[in-house]
Amino acid sequence: MENDTVAIIGPQHSVMAHVISHIANEIQVPLLSFAATDPSLNSLQFPYFVRTTQSDLFQMAAVADIVSYYEWQAVIAIYPDDDHGRNGIAALGDKLADKRCKISYKAPLSPKLNRESITNSLVNVALMDSRVIILHLYADWGLENPPSLQGMDSIQGVLTLRMHTPDSELKRNFVSRWSNLTATRTDNDPFGLNAYGLYAYDTVSLLAHALHDAFLSQTENISFSNNPSLSEFHGGTLHLDALSIFDGGKVLLDSVLQVNISGVTGSIKFNSDGNLIHPAYEVINIIGKGMRIIGYWSNSSGLSVLPPEKLQTTQKPRGWVFSSHGRQLRVGVPILVSFREFVKRVGGSDIFHGYCIDIFNAAVELLPYALPYKFVPYGDGHSNPVKTDLLHMITTGEFDAVVGDITITTNRTKMVDFTQPYIESGLVVVAPVKKLNSSAWAFLRPFTPMMWGVTGQMTNLEAILENNLVTIVWFSFSTLVPSPRENVNSTLGRFVLNIWLFVVLVLTSSYTASLTSILTVEKLSSPIKGIESLMANNDPIGYQHGTFIDTYLTKSSTSKVQTCSLNSEEEYEKALKDGPQKGGVSAIVDMHANMELFLSTRCDFSIVGQEFTKMGWGFAFPRDSPLAIDMSIAILKLSENGELQKIHDKWLARKACMSEAAKEEVDRLPLKSFALSNMWLGYFLSLLYALLFYVIKMVRQYMRLPARSQSGSVQSFLSFVKEKEDDVHEEKEGEGQCRVRRR
């Protein structure tokens, strides 16, 4: 590697791959390993490491499924005490924990293997209760190939896993050529072919395709530069100072990860985590003098007696296939300026990440056929592209599909076919809000003025029955709050009071609950209550540039609507803070998913009113494209297996300070909230009946007195009523005195 290097193939062991990966990172050279299965070798720590074989993470998932199938609760793990062994067993522990199983005992072996250390470890294992032993070892630590008869007797009943490579014409031709090549060897050393040999062959083929089809077509000159951080190693035996940085390393790495071809091991394609798709293993049982395949495991179907590729062929044939001439599906992707959690372009490349991209990639992996595709950016990067124009490019043949935050609307379905929506997101209104703080007059806020007035009048009517205007105010208040009661003397007054006390119970409970909410819960208020009040204000309304919202607002309003096109979250925030007086907007109308991200860090604004449309986002394809149906089925599968929610939580889960503005009108209790229960109506009718009965009674008694009836004046009638009241009071007082004297 003292000479200029553009790529590394190997090494064959995970421990050495850890070392070489540090060098590959430093000089920015892709490292393709067909045998390093350690799951800790990942793109986060080693971005230039590319695993062209299956990770032990999937092998341990297969082991955990076997353990769970036999309903074993605990196992013993024997493994080499190095990176390969420790990391593999750590992955096994995680997978077993998902099945409610565990590793009861770990028996690490020294990498410098000897008979004594093996004997000591096996003695300790024999003392354990568990009889299930998992061996995670190197191939050269095992038996000879083929093993002797004595060796076969010692491993009867053992289960083992072998990487599964589906049968194909390409694989059969390669094995035939390999047999012819090795048949000419004159020595007797075995030179067989295993799964790692097949992956090694595909690794070379993968790198050749990446160099020829992608890298060399994008790069005119291959250049290298000095690495100043290695100059301090000048004069060492390793000559590290002679290593150069490969200037095109990142481009070649991206080209490798975007390769999608068929090899002798099957489909060669990487998922978003950098692993080969469709990992599968054969479950082999040692029985008699040989072995047999008793089942298969894949990450999509789990344990099965049929190979994964046959499980797929049981589905109905579609009667069509993509062209095998090497043309990839051209997928248009908008270059977003705002809300890049949905679609984010990596530098100036054709690589995209984000919520929409991850869902598309995951759905493609569930298709029962290979789908070669590449992302094509659309937009200038300074403003959000117009989504309708992007979809129109499908009709002209420039794009075969469109992926992004594309809302499904009626007009757009006339141009293209959409998949099943992968996220529901209607339109909402976002406006500035202010906090409502409690004040010294907060005790008046639970009831509206009308409510206070009706309550007071009802208590006064109750007091009239007692014919004592002096006690009206006192009676009104004492029936609402605990305090010494005024004596109720009349039968009618007591009848009405029973109903009134029930009304008071509801009133006081409602008042207490509302006042507690006002004093303890922070409220937000906005003059805008929803889309209706926003339209009525005739103030400027902000919306995201390039979306259908401008057309929607214009068509849904009977009057002229002022709209303002905005590009980014920063423009949203500035326009809302400025307001209409300073050239801003009074509110913004956008998709609910966008506003959740916007409000997650901006607590001065909030969603007001309710979501007023029901829409969704989908992937777009040409009209009558069978891909729209197959991708819809894949999206439904992602929803059913929980993967859709995991992707949502990965990109969109935020601790938002957003909450719907608490409206003061909702917290305050109006009269109609009580009228709905007919409570006031019942009380008013009973009070009216009692008053009417009382007046008739007094009039009849008054008319029986000739001297009083001749005058016929209201003054005379009121004097008569007052005398009757005094007589009742004197009788009550006399009865009280008698009782006192008896005691």
Side-chain angles (χ1 to χ4, degrees), residues 329 360 394 400-401 416-417 419 619-623 625 627-628 631:
L329 205 71
F360 182 82
I394 294 180
D400 302 307
V416 297
D417 280 352
T419 62
F619 304 131
F621 294 93
R623 295 296 300 270
S625 171
L627 263 178
M631 288 291 285

Side-chain angles (χ1 to χ4, degrees), residues 162-168 171 195 198-199 264-266 280 282 309:
R162 178 173 65 190
M163 287 185 292
H164 172 70
T165 55
D167 188 29
S168 65
K171 177 181 175 181
L198 298 179
Y199 278 108
V264 295
T265 60
E282 299 168 355
E309 61 271 15

Side-chain angles (χ1 to χ4, degrees), residues 233-264:
F233 299 102
H234 178 70
T237 56
L238 294 179
H239 302 287
L240 294 177
D241 57 308
L243 301 180
S244 301
I245 296 176
F246 176 33
D247 296 331
K250 183 65 171 64
V251 178
L252 178 58
L253 175 65
D254 294 339
S255 301
V256 169
L257 295 176
Q258 294 297 320
V259 167
N260 185 6
I261 60 174
S262 295
V264 295

